[in-house]
Amino acid sequence: MHSDRASLGLKIAAAAGLLFLHLPILLIFVYAFTTEEKSFQWPPPGLTLKWFAVTWNRPDVWEALGLSVKVASISTVIALILGSLCAAAVSRTRFFGRETISLLVILPIALPGVVTGIALRSAFSIADIPFSTWTIVLGHATFCVVIVYNNAVARFRRTSGSLIEASMDLGANMFQTLRHVILPNIATALVVGGMLAFALSFDEVIVTTFTAGQQQTLPIWMLEELVRPRERPVTNVVAMVVVLVTMLPILGAYYLTRGTEAVAGQGK
Amino acid sequence: MSAVSFDHVSRHFGEVKAVDGVSLDIPEGEFFAMLGPSGSGKTTCLRLIAGFERPTSGRISIFGEQVADLPPYKRHVNTVFQDYALFPHLNVIDNVAYGLMIAGQGRKARHAAAEQALEMVRLGGYGTRKPSELSGGQRQRVALARALVNKPRVLLLDEPLGALDLKLREQMQEELKGLQRQLGITFVFVTHDQGEALSMADRVAVFNEGRIIQVGAPEDIYFRPEVPFVADFVGSSNVLPAPLVARLTGTESPAAIRPERVRLAGEGPLKAVVTGLSFLGLSTRVTLDVEGTRMTALLPQDAARPTVGETVALAWAEGDLHLMRGGA
Amino acid sequence: MSAATDTLTARDGVSTRLSDTLWRRPKLLLVLLLLPPVLWLGIIYLGSLFALLLQSFFSIDHFSGLINYEFTLRTYAELFTPANFDIIVRTVTMAACTTLASAVIAFPIACYAARFAKGRWRAVFYLGIMMPLWSSYLVKIYAWKLILAKEGILTWALEGLHLNWLLDAYLALPVVGGNSLSVSTTGTFIVFVYVWMPFMILPIQAALERVPVSMLEASGDLGARPGQTFRHVLFPLALPGIVAGSIFTFSLTLGDYIIPQIIGTSRLFIGQAVYQHQGIAGNIPLAAAFAVVPIVIMGVYLYIAKRMGAFDAL
């Protein structure tokens, strides 16, 4: 293998792989405009903007969206606090049980979501906790911690440890050091971690089906539509909007970390 | 009053005795160097003064004040870090003004003071740049200005020249010495480079395995090493083993002699076989085998050169053979 | 001097005094940092897992439908009845097939991204991998429902190419076939691969990026043909990355219950079994026992992966 030029076979295989990943998502964009109401007919018999207006006026969609945003916001805040505390502890000091802490943080996404889901569900029923926004948040925050943690740990690792010592050497106590040195240096990592955590929570469905009870987040709403379709064109429109909305944090995360490090949030 | 004093200070990391019962006194206004190989405890000593480490046992005082319970931000010392530790998110002027900002000085006053400090290290007008836009030597000066602007009573320097190339290093040595003389503050300087320590410091402490082996003026360290380790580490003296010295002088102890003080003569107390010659420009280095002990001699360029394999006699002036303590 | 210090201490604010205490007691600082995350994860997550584990040792009275709170292994024995064991075998087989197919498709992408993509193309590849990975899970499944539907784009394309006889012949096959692709095991498989494959790319890419270019050149210099370089140099070096990626694809497939519910046959996967037993059937102990299966499988899998050095590639 020449190291500077790819062989034709490799080029074709890589391009085909990327097309395989992207074409289905692009298809969603076409279906959002179809005039066909009852089936998934291709090619679309006609194009229309009508379903955007219909979707706009659907209160159930707005309610689901509202709940999703609320849950994702609270979960992100909790994950930011817990994840950065954990990252600070693990990266600043060597202590007995460091590996265990890392494992504990990673476990909620390393184990299948259905396990996390049913575990929380049975715990809620044992502890007699009624379903609410907070039961959803409890689950989401738990698996969002690792996203923030990964980003913050990577940044801490790249930040010279002597910066903190330098700040204290120059007269700043720990809280002043936190405000003037640590936070400015890990800020982008936290923003990226927060955006990815938000995206993850916003999209989560497996754990949520166990912790939501009768409430509907946007993914639960979509799941209902997939299992028991009511108005397919509305689903099409919502699907397209969801794709567009989830792209934003990813693009944002990319531009913030460009040239510094990979977005350390591969585990979803 | 001494600026810094250690009284039987130890710092252990688990089983490792990084600093092991060190006592020392650094008078005010002295340029003091801590010299030793890596892992010898010199950097840990510096960190103990700065307050980044706390002693396992012993007492440290700075200008007579016990500092065991004082965190770094309450000590009147400042540090120039080995990697400079400039804050990457701040520009040069805000880096230098950081200490004054924390102390509560207004923006205008602290920027004026910072600019003055920058001029002192010949970086006036560089204030708006980011540290990443500076060369290694410039970063080093900013780090220096950032420490000095706080008017510390003791300035700690951790291998400050280690990352610079040879030419810059020599220039900075001159500048540091000049600054120290001009400001009159105590400098404590950590280095593993014996040339740097000897040329800059008023006094040098040689560290090995967590202990101070010898403290003294550069000439003492260089010409009168007390133990073989110092002789060997500071400028590659010849160390003669105790039995050989016993035969020569009647005293059973190791002895050191500097290579440039060894002469090749027709007659002398020691016979040696020449094992190698290398041309060094101003002098020629002759490696010798004396009954199994390796020695080197530096011959001036005009001296007669022996040939490899020849047996020669070695001679030296009376005071050049320096008797040492055994051990270490 | 000490008098000056005393006045200094007296003037200290709360934050400085707290900071002093933390400096004097670094362990206290560590405890304070770790306490919130460890409490959260320990109580909420590990506590729930433990409760789940406990339930799997109970059993259900099939007549009354009530849970019998006595320690028993009977529920675990139930896993080995033919119907239930079938579910486990089917799920593990699917996870293995998905992992294998993902590795095959992901490898060229990762290889190109790691070794050849430069400058602008590097960014294109990076986003090209991250966007589908982070796109909505349900939307991705939905897209395939559109594609695989009888009246969908795939049938249309094959008709255009006059190849629909091929699809019909394939669907007539037992096990993998079905009425249409969207209700066949093949459909489930395609969607699993589509949804989880991106998780395979990044670890392989990371592993390949750590291979020095000179090593490949050395192999070429020594007379290896490209195929040989791949087999003897590139592949072994990428293996930790593949294993790391397979942790994701395997685990995610193992626990998924939504994809087979929407696209595929009525035959159950572990996730569906868990969901149905805890929901409709109310058989929490059996659901818990089913949930322990992926935990055990992943435990073994992670142990092997760790011994192969796959964690360095994560």
Side-chain angles (χ1 to χ4, degrees):
Chain A
M1 174 180 288
H2 292 285
S3 47
D4 52 341
R5 291 270 301 278
S7 69
L8 190 65
L10 179 66
K11 271 185 187 162
I12 293 173
L18 282 182
L19 279 181
F20 170 65
L21 282 178
H22 287 265
L23 285 183
I25 298 175
L26 292 179
L27 201 66
I28 293 286
F29 284 74
V30 180
Y31 270 95
F33 298 93
T34 185
T35 49
E36 170 62 42
E37 293 176 32
K38 293 283 171 256
S39 76
F40 299 130
Q41 191 194 341
W42 182 271
L47 299 174
T48 174
L49 285 171
K50 173 184 144 194
W51 296 111
F52 285 86
V54 173
T55 309
W56 185 268
N57 291 317
R58 284 278 293 265
D60 56 333
V61 174
W62 283 109
E63 268 168 38
L65 178 69
L67 181 61
S68 275
V69 169
K70 186 174 162 195
V71 166
S73 307
I74 303 173
S75 307
T76 301
V77 171
I78 296 174
L80 276 174
I81 295 168
L82 299 179
S84 42
L85 284 177
C86 214
V90 166
S91 53
R92 276 287 152 252
T93 36
R94 322 208 156 273
F95 58 90
F96 180 72
R98 262 178 66 160
E99 301 270 305
T100 316
I101 298 287
S102 300
L103 183 70
L104 182 62
V105 171
I106 290 163
L107 209 57
I109 56 157
L111 288 181
V114 70
V115 174
T116 309
I118 188 177
L120 287 172
R121 168 76 157 252
S122 58
F124 292 154
S125 88
I126 290 171
D128 219 3
I129 301 171
F131 293 116
S132 70
T133 310
W134 294 100
T135 53
I136 308 179
V137 166
L138 231 47
H140 283 203
T142 301
F143 56 71
C144 283
V145 171
V146 67
I147 305 284
V148 176
Y149 171 82
N150 275 351
N151 278 283
V153 156
R155 180 62 59 88
F156 271 127
R157 216 175 275 155
R158 289 192 318 118
T159 308
S160 156
S162 54
L163 288 187
I164 292 169
E165 286 177 354
S167 169
M168 289 178 47
D169 187 71
L170 293 166
N173 66 34
M174 288 187 188
F175 300 97
Q176 289 167 317
T177 301
L178 176 70
R179 182 176 146 215
H180 294 294
V181 174
I182 300 176
L183 281 181
N185 273 295
I186 64 164
T188 49
L190 291 186
V191 171
V192 168
M195 286 198 292
L196 295 179
F198 188 94
L200 182 60
S201 163
F202 190 76
D203 186 42
E204 213 290 329
V205 63
I206 294 186
V207 175
T208 318
T209 51
F210 289 94
T211 57
Q214 296 305 311
Q215 309 162 89
Q216 277 199 333
T217 60
L218 201 58
I220 299 262
W221 180 91
M222 273 208 68
L223 182 63
E224 288 287 313
E225 294 295 314
L226 287 183
V227 179
R228 278 176 291 278
R230 282 177 295 175
E231 222 171 346
R232 278 182 177 156
V234 174
T235 315
N236 292 337
V237 171
V238 172
M240 190 189 95
V241 172
V242 166
V243 168
L244 286 176
V245 168
T246 41
M247 264 183 200
L248 293 177
I250 308 312
L251 280 175
Y254 169 71
Y255 280 105
L256 280 174
T257 52
R258 204 170 27 166
T260 54
E261 68 208 70
V263 178
Q266 42 173 275
K268 198 173 162 178
Chain B
M1 182 191 288
S2 31
V4 177
S5 109
F6 275 41
D7 182 13
H8 293 94
V9 172
S10 292
R11 177 69 174 104
H12 299 175
F13 297 101
E15 291 289 293
V16 184
K17 297 175 174 175
V19 172
D20 191 14
V22 164
S23 296
L24 65 85
D25 265 295
I26 305 174
E28 188 170 3
E30 187 170 64
F31 199 131
F32 189 81
M34 297 182 178
L35 174 67
S38 61
S40 60
K42 57 191 194 306
T43 298
T44 307
C45 274
L46 197 79
R47 294 170 59 79
L48 283 164
I49 303 174
F52 306 140
E53 302 283 353
R54 303 189 67 201
T56 311
S57 63
R59 291 141 64 88
I60 301 173
S61 58
I62 298 175
F63 286 99
E65 181 187 17
Q66 288 298 318
V67 293
D69 280 337
L70 280 190
Y73 46 86
K74 286 185 175 169
R75 301 186 183 195
H76 297 287
V77 300
N78 284 110
T79 308
V80 176
F81 290 82
Q82 184 170 13
D83 63 354
Y84 315 138
L86 299 181
F87 304 122
H89 61 291
L90 299 178
N91 62 20
V92 167
I93 197 98
D94 284 324
N95 258 288
V96 177
Y98 186 86
L100 304 175
M101 187 259 297
I102 294 294
Q105 268 198 27
R107 191 182 164 79
K108 217 166 174 181
R110 65 176 194 253
H111 275 195
E115 185 60 37
Q116 216 176 358
L118 280 172
E119 271 160 23
M120 187 168 66
V121 296
R122 299 193 288 109
L123 278 181
Y126 278 68
T128 53
R129 303 209 189 176
K130 276 284 171 78
S132 56
E133 297 164 358
L134 301 180
S135 69
Q138 289 169 334
R139 283 179 209 186
Q140 218 268 319
R141 288 161 200 270
V142 175
L144 197 58
R146 184 177 69 175
L148 288 174
V149 78
N150 304 293
K151 303 204 174 6
R153 302 188 71 181
V154 180
L155 183 73
L156 308 174
L157 303 109
D158 184 10
E159 304 258 5
L161 309 179
L164 304 180
D165 60 45
L166 185 66
K167 221 169 159 187
L168 257 176
R169 203 150 66 207
E170 284 170 354
Q171 187 191 339
M172 279 310 293
Q173 286 181 13
E174 287 298 312
E175 276 184 44
L176 276 179
K177 242 176 123 172
L179 265 177
Q180 197 261 342
R181 242 179 267 130
Q182 177 195 334
L183 299 169
I185 28 181
T186 313
F187 274 35
V188 182
F189 184 96
V190 159
T191 181
H192 65 270
D193 178 335
Q194 78 281 15
E196 212 163 86
L198 296 180
S199 69
M200 293 168 78
D202 299 326
R203 273 195 319 149
V204 178
V206 183
F207 279 74
N208 191 33
E209 290 173 348
R211 296 161 185 263
I212 292 183
I213 305 296
Q214 187 175 353
V215 191
E219 302 81 49
D220 289 336
I221 300 284
Y222 191 75
F223 288 114
R224 287 173 288 282
E226 286 170 8
V227 289
F229 175 82
V230 176
D232 189 48
F233 186 76
V234 183
S236 58
S237 265
N238 292 303
V239 176
L240 302 184
L244 199 66
V245 179
R247 232 170 56 214
L248 292 172
T249 64
T251 313
E252 174 106 17
S253 72
I257 181 163
R258 307 238 27 109
E260 62 270 28
R261 297 294 170 92
V262 176
R263 280 185 288 115
L264 304 192
E267 282 295 309
L270 270 186
K271 293 272 182 283
V273 178
V274 177
T275 56
L277 289 170
S278 23
F279 176 68
L280 300 178
L282 282 177
S283 57
T284 302
R285 187 172 63 216
V286 185
T287 46
L288 301 153
D289 180 88
V290 184
E291 297 168 26
T293 303
R294 211 184 98 96
M295 282 182 70
T296 55
L298 282 178
L299 300 185
Q301 216 37 263
D302 50 2
R305 266 188 276 169
T307 51
V308 174
E310 191 183 333
T311 302
V312 294
L314 307 180
W316 49 80
E318 187 63 25
D320 288 342
L321 186 72
H322 177 73
L323 293 180
M324 301 184 288
R325 281 186 275 122
Chain C
M1 200 63 218
S2 70
T5 318
D6 287 342
T7 52
L8 204 73
T9 318
R11 270 193 285 112
D12 281 346
V14 181
S15 82
T16 301
R17 263 180 282 154
L18 191 55
S19 177
D20 290 1
T21 312
L22 293 177
W23 175 80
R24 272 173 217 138
R25 311 185 58 183
K27 288 218 173 89
L28 179 67
L29 174 64
L30 187 64
V31 168
L32 287 179
L33 287 174
L34 279 175
L35 207 59
V38 166
L39 277 184
W40 181 286
L41 291 168
I43 292 177
I44 295 175
Y45 189 67
L46 290 185
S48 301
L49 277 185
F50 184 72
L52 178 74
L53 196 67
L54 211 60
Q55 305 230 28
S56 67
F57 291 107
F58 299 149
S59 62
I60 194 161
D61 187 320
H62 283 288
F63 296 105
S64 61
L66 293 174
I67 293 168
N68 182 4
Y69 292 99
E70 260 174 56
F71 178 84
T72 173
L73 287 172
R74 209 168 53 210
T75 311
Y76 278 104
E78 255 183 82
L79 288 179
F80 294 95
T81 59
N84 287 339
F85 196 65
D86 214 29
I87 294 176
I88 296 172
V89 170
R90 181 180 308 124
T91 310
V92 172
T93 310
M94 179 60 86
C97 292
T98 304
T99 298
L100 212 62
S102 297
V104 170
I105 300 174
F107 194 88
I109 304 178
C111 191
Y112 196 95
R115 307 221 65 88
F116 304 108
K118 303 245 156 59
R120 179 181 289 272
W121 279 105
R122 211 176 163 71
V124 169
F125 261 86
Y126 183 73
L127 285 174
I129 295 161
M130 290 310 277
M131 298 291 261
L133 190 149
W134 281 91
S135 280
S136 167
Y137 165 78
L138 283 169
V139 170
K140 284 188 274 194
I141 302 173
Y142 185 57
W144 279 94
K145 204 170 164 89
L146 300 176
I147 294 170
L148 298 176
K150 241 192 167 110
E151 69 278 17
I153 190 169
L154 194 67
T155 317
W156 172 81
L158 288 173
E159 262 166 19
L161 295 166
H162 303 289
L163 285 172
N164 40 350
W165 56 270
L166 199 65
L167 180 63
D168 292 339
Y170 182 82
L171 287 174
L173 294 174
V175 184
V176 295
N179 242 341
S180 81
L181 272 178
S182 66
V183 290
S184 70
T185 309
T186 309
T188 318
F189 168 72
I190 294 174
V191 180
F192 268 134
V193 173
Y194 178 76
V195 172
W196 303 134
M197 187 270 277
F199 292 91
M200 182 68 97
I201 303 176
L202 292 173
I204 299 182
Q205 188 182 343
L208 286 178
E209 269 168 1
R210 258 171 280 175
V211 180
V213 176
S214 56
M215 204 183 267
L216 303 180
E217 281 169 352
S219 169
D221 283 347
L222 296 171
R225 281 177 288 107
Q228 289 173 317
T229 304
F230 173 80
R231 202 165 52 244
H232 297 298
V233 182
L234 203 55
F235 183 73
L237 289 167
L239 197 61
I242 297 175
V243 175
S246 75
I247 295 170
F248 291 110
T249 55
F250 201 84
S251 159
L252 290 164
T253 310
L254 216 51
D256 198 309
Y257 75 95
I258 286 178
I259 291 174
Q261 185 187 351
I262 293 170
I263 295 189
T265 65
S266 55
R267 282 172 295 204
L268 296 181
F269 284 76
I270 290 178
Q272 288 167 289
V274 172
Y275 191 70
Q276 291 191 359
H277 282 300
Q278 68 88 32
I280 307 153
N283 190 346
I284 302 269
L286 186 56
F290 256 117
V292 170
V293 173
I295 299 180
V296 171
I297 294 177
M298 282 321 292
V300 174
Y301 202 107
L302 287 173
Y303 177 74
I304 297 171
K306 191 172 174 131
R307 298 203 52 177
M308 290 179 73
F311 287 159
D312 304 331
L314 277 176

